[in-house]
Amino acid sequence: MSHPSIHARTDPAKPALIVAETGETISFAELDARSNRAAHLFRARGLVASDTIALMLENTPEFYDIAWGAQRSGLFFVCISTKLTAAELDYIVGDSGAKMLIVSASLTGSAGTVRAETLRFVVGGSVPGWESWEDAVAAQPDTPIADERAGIDMLYSSGTTGRPKGVRVALPEDPDMAAPTVLMMLARGLYGLGPDSIYLSPAPLYHAAPLRWSMTVQRLGGTVVMLQHFEPEAALAAIERYKINASQWVPTHFVRMLKLDAAARARHDLSSLKVAIHAAAPCPVPVKEAMIAWWGPVLYEYYAGSEGNGLTTIDSAQWLEHKGSVGKAAYGVLHICGEDGVELPAGEEGLVYFEGGGVFEYHNDPAKTAEARNALGWSTLGDIGRIDKDGYLYLTDRKSFMIISGGVNIYPQEIENRLITHPRVADVAVIGAPCPEMGERVVAVVQPVDMAEAGEALAAELTAWCRAELSGVKTPRQIDFSAELPRHATGKLYKRLLRDQYWAEPATTV
């Protein structure tokens, strides 16, 4: 059993949270008091166990106050991306049934037409029509509520291929808010996280991995160092300044740090770092090779989803022997199945399924929930992959991203992995666009390091770069340029937005 409230009693002055950019520090005693006030406010406004709240905040200390307050009140807490439009936020608040919405002052303009019955609070400012979160919690006691009960997050998919869907799991069977969790056991067993951890969280907290892993570190008595915004050199500086020994990243973080000049990369002492976990998207082999060469064998990768239905893991030594793999199953049993639902032998590509992992449902979408399961009850996130003879999983791409050109299945990830290694490419997305002859044609939308270089010459150079390693059918037939791609701050591309542009107006480029 472990929980911030326990550490507040045993080591009250220890930092539970440090804001990297400012040095602002919240001790375990302060986090306990602040989350107690949040819990009292929830009860004072009529919220009871199994009710839902929603929050849309930047990376601020209040994020943890609210999340832990909800966790110790038996609530479902929905963490919403700060990048969403008013319509998208309204949809999630309504779909989740949230009775309270808590929003940063700078984001209230995105609140749209939230239902009148939804309680509305603003953090970090005064906005007409919104109640001040700070004023409301200041009037509450800092002692525990009488009916503490474990709550849990309810997160929505990033909507990269359609409308976001809420991933809902049951409230923990053990109502004790300090009861052990699967993630706690994995964090300790796989990565050695614990009270000595000083953990850097560089990504937005509204995403599953930063939220769940940083809260797990606090459960275990470690210190979370939170970046308000990711900047490549600022992240390296934070590792040095705070003697970070554990951290979590996504491949786009690696790409941006690797594109720093040699002087900037060498400027910071990273020797304290013992564990650098990464996930969220497949990491191109050359990128991971470069990171291991730079940081040493401290990289640990996993594959999982917000659904919590399974987990694979791999360390640096294993990866160097199985380059491109996302590891072996650490939670649940892996299976690869064909379109007919029949399990495939080692080496063949198909849908990745987990057996015996966590049970989930897509909120208000029984059809999608059913679609994610096969006749045996195994569940899939919609990813395509294969398992080698040693049990290591290799991801090909998401099924929904597959391009069919002239009857040939083409997976964009392989093409993206090639293009991102070009020194003049900052980001890239590969999609299928309509083609009268072939059905779909391969289009690469490239964000150059320098937008001034965008043009026919760079497109020709990138085409040749692809042809050097990829077959003709995989080489993009069209390369367009964009100053910025619609990428989620957690590293996932909103490919749906790009694809819609091409399919709505086939001749249009971005």
Side-chain angles (χ1 to χ4, degrees):
M1 294 176 63
S2 195
H3 193 269
S5 61
I6 296 174
H7 307 306
R9 296 193 296 270
T10 60
D11 199 356
K14 183 176 182 178
L17 174 68
I18 300 173
V19 180
E21 291 89 342
T22 66
E24 179 184 358
T25 300
I26 308 297
S27 70
F28 274 101
E30 291 170 323
L31 178 60
D32 188 52
R34 291 161 67 126
S35 62
N36 277 330
R37 292 191 184 100
H40 274 286
L41 180 60
F42 297 145
R43 291 290 186 261
R45 298 307 171 91
L47 274 66
V48 299
S50 80
D51 280 343
T52 302
I53 66 166
L55 54 152
M56 185 170 71
L57 303 173
E58 298 100 344
N59 281 10
T60 66
E62 287 81 6
F63 206 119
Y64 289 101
D65 303 348
I66 296 164
W68 282 117
Q71 188 273 337
R72 64 196 306 166
S73 304
L75 303 180
F76 290 98
F77 49 106
V78 177
C79 304
I80 300 175
S81 168
T82 59
K83 306 298 184 183
L84 297 190
T85 65
E88 290 169 322
L89 181 140
D90 288 353
Y91 162 74
I92 291 176
V93 172
D95 183 71
S96 68
K99 294 184 176 181
M100 179 184 291
L101 173 64
I102 307 162
V103 176
S104 293
S106 61
L107 301 171
T108 52
S110 297
T113 56
V114 174
R115 298 173 305 169
E117 62 268 27
T118 304
L119 300 169
R120 303 199 301 178
F121 288 87
V122 62
V123 174
S126 176
V127 178
W130 293 75
E131 188 172 353
S132 166
W133 172 262
E134 291 87 347
D135 290 348
V137 293
Q140 301 298 324
D142 61 5
T143 52
I145 58 175
D147 58 341
E148 286 187 319
R149 193 252 188 263
I152 196 168
D153 61 60
M154 176 183 165
L155 304 181
Y156 275 69
S157 68
S158 56
T160 55
T161 59
R163 206 163 199 182
K165 296 298 180 185
V167 178
R168 191 176 179 96
V169 300
L171 288 175
E173 290 184 13
D174 189 341
D176 186 351
M177 66 179 188
T181 66
V182 171
L183 199 53
M184 282 173 58
M185 293 183 281
L186 291 170
R188 283 189 293 215
L190 291 172
Y191 309 122
L193 301 185
D196 295 328
S197 296
I198 306 172
Y199 176 90
L200 181 65
S201 186
L205 291 172
Y206 53 72
H207 185 61
L211 175 73
R212 292 172 177 170
W213 283 91
S214 62
M215 289 183 73
T216 296
V217 169
Q218 291 175 335
R219 271 186 177 273
L220 296 172
T223 297
V224 172
V225 178
M226 175 189 71
L227 278 172
Q228 294 172 303
H229 305 282
F230 173 77
E231 292 295 339
E233 194 164 1
L236 300 178
I239 294 173
E240 180 177 24
R241 178 181 178 185
Y242 296 106
K243 300 294 185 285
I244 299 296
N245 54 27
S247 55
Q248 181 151 180
W249 312 86
V250 296
T252 51
H253 290 151
F254 292 159
V255 169
R256 291 185 63 187
M257 289 188 289
L258 286 167
K259 289 187 185 293
L260 291 170
D261 61 48
R265 288 172 53 184
R267 193 174 294 139
H268 304 285
D269 179 3
L270 311 180
S271 60
S272 62
L273 191 57
K274 306 303 179 188
V275 175
I277 306 164
H278 70 99
C283 188
V285 168
V287 171
K288 188 158 181 176
E289 286 175 330
M291 287 302 301
I292 294 175
W294 178 16
W295 285 7
V298 301
L299 269 69
Y300 294 79
E301 185 171 3
Y302 70 86
Y303 161 67
S306 301
E307 291 82 349
N309 64 327
L311 175 83
T312 70
T313 64
I314 191 167
D315 63 25
S316 292
Q318 292 167 330
W319 186 87
L320 289 169
E321 293 294 324
H322 300 82
K323 290 185 179 182
S325 173
V326 294
K328 287 184 170 183
Y331 177 54
V333 179
L334 274 173
H335 301 277
I336 303 295
C337 297
E339 292 287 345
D340 57 2
V342 176
E343 187 164 11
L344 300 173
E348 292 197 25
E349 289 187 349
L351 275 170
V352 180
Y353 282 87
F354 282 101
E355 173 192 4
V359 178
F360 69 93
E361 66 178 35
Y362 291 108
H363 188 55
N364 291 335
D365 198 336
K368 185 175 175 64
T369 300
E371 185 182 322
R373 291 176 173 79
N374 66 9
L376 297 171
W378 305 343
S379 60
T380 180
L381 304 178
D383 292 312
I384 300 290
R386 62 181 173 85
I387 302 173
D388 69 15
K389 61 182 177 59
D390 298 319
Y392 285 87
L393 173 65
Y394 299 75
L395 296 178
T396 303
D397 213 324
R398 290 192 63 80
K399 179 182 178 182
S400 55
F401 292 162
M402 185 175 69
I403 301 167
I404 303 176
S405 182
V408 177
N409 293 347
I410 301 168
Y411 293 102
Q413 186 68 52
E414 183 182 5
I415 308 166
E416 291 166 352
N417 288 351
R418 175 59 178 166
L419 283 166
I420 197 61
T421 62
H422 192 283
R424 297 165 71 187
V425 173
D427 203 358
V428 60
V430 173
I431 59 171
C435 176
E437 180 183 358
M438 305 297 286
E440 288 184 285
R441 69 184 186 281
V442 179
V443 175
V445 184
V446 172
Q447 177 184 328
V449 171
D450 182 355
M451 192 63 189
E453 296 181 343
E456 292 183 6
L458 181 55
E461 183 178 332
L462 296 178
T463 299
W465 180 261
C466 288
R467 282 179 178 155
E469 285 200 1
L470 302 176
S471 63
V473 70
K474 297 176 183 176
T475 299
R477 291 291 183 268
Q478 178 178 334
I479 295 179
D480 295 329
F481 297 97
S482 176
E484 185 176 6
L485 297 187
R487 186 178 285 277
H488 194 283
T490 57
K492 293 183 179 180
L493 280 164
Y494 286 103
K495 282 193 175 180
R496 168 179 54 85
L497 300 180
L498 287 173
R499 193 175 186 278
D500 286 353
Q501 292 182 50
Y502 286 84
W503 285 84
E505 297 181 52
T508 299
T509 59
V510 296

